[in-house]
């Protein structure tokens, strides 16, 4: 298995633009997580899904953030409109039974 | 509210020395305590994990020590090598909840 695949690896966008981050989890994993990593706040859980259903989105910072998982092999995290304070590395991770998360390589988002 | 407090933020260790990273928690319902290792440009990867029914777990040069009464756990890296230079995260979870992570420790092993 190729692991958790995230795209793009880097994204630079202007303030106010829509940004979409993509994730392909490991086949067979029934949990998918979106984390945001910053120096100040470390790894923050934004939202997680179980069997494609959102379970807890209380970590999503604002209504500007939304996430979907239309099927077991694909998830998106969308920010609209983007702001400079959204600049961070966004990680997707997947797992079975909440054990042993496998993280993707992340998307480094820069909003200018 | 930070559920897992990790220290130090950064650590410099001589090659061959012992690296020690500490974590403390408050939630006594936590039942799983993993450590993750992250290299630059990569996502965190599971390194070693422990459950509260044991006080120590060792895998190669990496050891987790767990003190349930003090609500603390630590990662020891014996014979630290330059290749161990990375950011280390402790984490914890209870029941069916997702992992909560410490803020990370940046380890530099110098020759």
């Amino acid at each position: 298995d190729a692991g958790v695949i995230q795209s793009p690896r880097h994204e630079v966008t202007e303030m106010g633009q829509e940004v979409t981050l993509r994730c392909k989890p490991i086949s067979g994993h029934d949990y998918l997580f979106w984390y945001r990593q910053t120096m100040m706040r470390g790894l923050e859980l934004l939202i997680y899904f179980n069997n494609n259903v959102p379970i807890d989105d209380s970590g999503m910072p604002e209504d500007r953030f939304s996430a979907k998982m239309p099927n077991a092999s694909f998830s998106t995290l969308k920010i609209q409109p983007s702001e400079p304070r959204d600049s961070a590395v966004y990680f997707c991770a997947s797992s079975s039974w909440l054990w042993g998360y496998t993280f993707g390589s992340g998307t480094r988002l820069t909003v200018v | 509210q930070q559920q897992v407090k990790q220290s130090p933020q950064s650590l410099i260790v001589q090659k061959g020395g012992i690296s020690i990273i500490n974590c403390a928690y408050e939630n006594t319902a936590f039942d799983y305590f993993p450590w993750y290792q992250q290299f630059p440009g990569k996502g965190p990867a599971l390194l070693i994990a422990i459950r509260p029914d044991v006080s120590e777990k060792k895998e190669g040069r990496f050891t987790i020590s767990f003190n349930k009464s003090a609500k603390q756990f630590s990662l020891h890296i014996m014979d630290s090598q330059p290749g161990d230079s990375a950011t280390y995260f402790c984490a914890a979870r209870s029941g069916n909840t997702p992992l909560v992570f410490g803020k990370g420790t940046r380890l530099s092993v110098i020759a």
Side-chain angles (χ1 to χ4, degrees):
Chain A
D1 199 319
V4 176
I5 300 172
Q6 290 187 247
S7 65
R9 287 298 311 274
H10 303 274
E11 177 79 42
V12 180
T13 190
E14 291 186 347
M15 182 174 62
Q17 296 298 305
E18 177 180 293
V19 175
T20 299
L21 311 182
R22 297 173 175 80
C23 175
K24 177 179 169 55
I26 290 175
S27 177
H29 280 185
D30 49 3
Y31 285 89
L32 183 138
F33 309 85
W34 283 99
Y35 282 86
R36 178 170 68 176
Q37 184 177 31
T38 61
M39 289 294 292
M40 288 296 293
R41 302 174 69 89
L43 276 165
E44 299 175 275
L45 177 65
L46 301 177
I47 185 172
Y48 79 100
F49 297 82
N50 178 217
N51 292 322
N52 313 336
V53 177
I55 303 300
D56 185 353
D57 66 354
S58 61
M60 298 285 260
E62 299 172 33
D63 290 346
R64 299 183 295 106
F65 286 69
S66 63
K68 295 182 179 180
M69 192 165 186
N71 57 61
S73 60
F74 185 65
S75 177
T76 60
L77 178 68
K78 186 176 294 186
I79 308 172
Q80 165 63 20
S82 58
E83 297 182 3
R85 60 192 166 124
D86 302 330
S87 298
V89 181
Y90 290 81
F91 286 103
C92 173
S94 69
S95 74
S96 297
W97 296 99
L98 289 172
W99 300 102
Y101 295 7
T102 301
F103 283 80
S105 293
T107 295
R108 181 174 294 277
L109 173 65
T110 303
V111 183
V112 298
Chain B
Q1 179 185 358
Q2 188 180 357
Q3 296 193 52
V4 181
K5 293 186 177 181
Q6 184 171 346
S7 62
Q9 277 190 303
S10 62
L11 181 63
I12 299 174
V13 174
Q14 293 276 353
K15 179 182 175 182
I18 302 173
S19 303
I20 302 174
I21 304 170
N22 301 299
C23 281
Y25 64 96
E26 289 297 323
N27 187 349
T28 55
F30 283 154
D31 59 4
Y32 174 65
F33 302 88
W35 285 89
Y36 281 75
Q37 179 188 55
Q38 183 182 28
F39 293 107
K42 301 292 187 182
L46 179 63
L47 183 63
I48 186 172
I50 197 169
R51 295 183 69 93
D53 52 347
V54 297
S55 61
E56 186 175 281
K57 183 174 181 179
K58 184 176 181 179
E59 290 185 3
R61 296 184 294 108
F62 299 90
T63 299
I64 299 179
S65 297
F66 185 81
N67 186 329
K68 190 173 182 178
S69 61
K71 292 184 284 187
Q72 295 176 347
F73 58 110
S74 59
L75 176 69
H76 292 65
I77 306 174
M78 310 300 289
D79 186 27
S80 299
Q81 298 296 313
D84 298 329
S85 297
T87 299
Y88 293 81
F89 294 92
C90 62
R93 53 150 274 199
S94 63
N96 291 330
T97 63
L99 289 174
V100 290
F101 287 86
K103 288 195 173 182
T105 296
R106 180 172 292 185
L107 171 66
S108 298
V109 181
I110 56 176

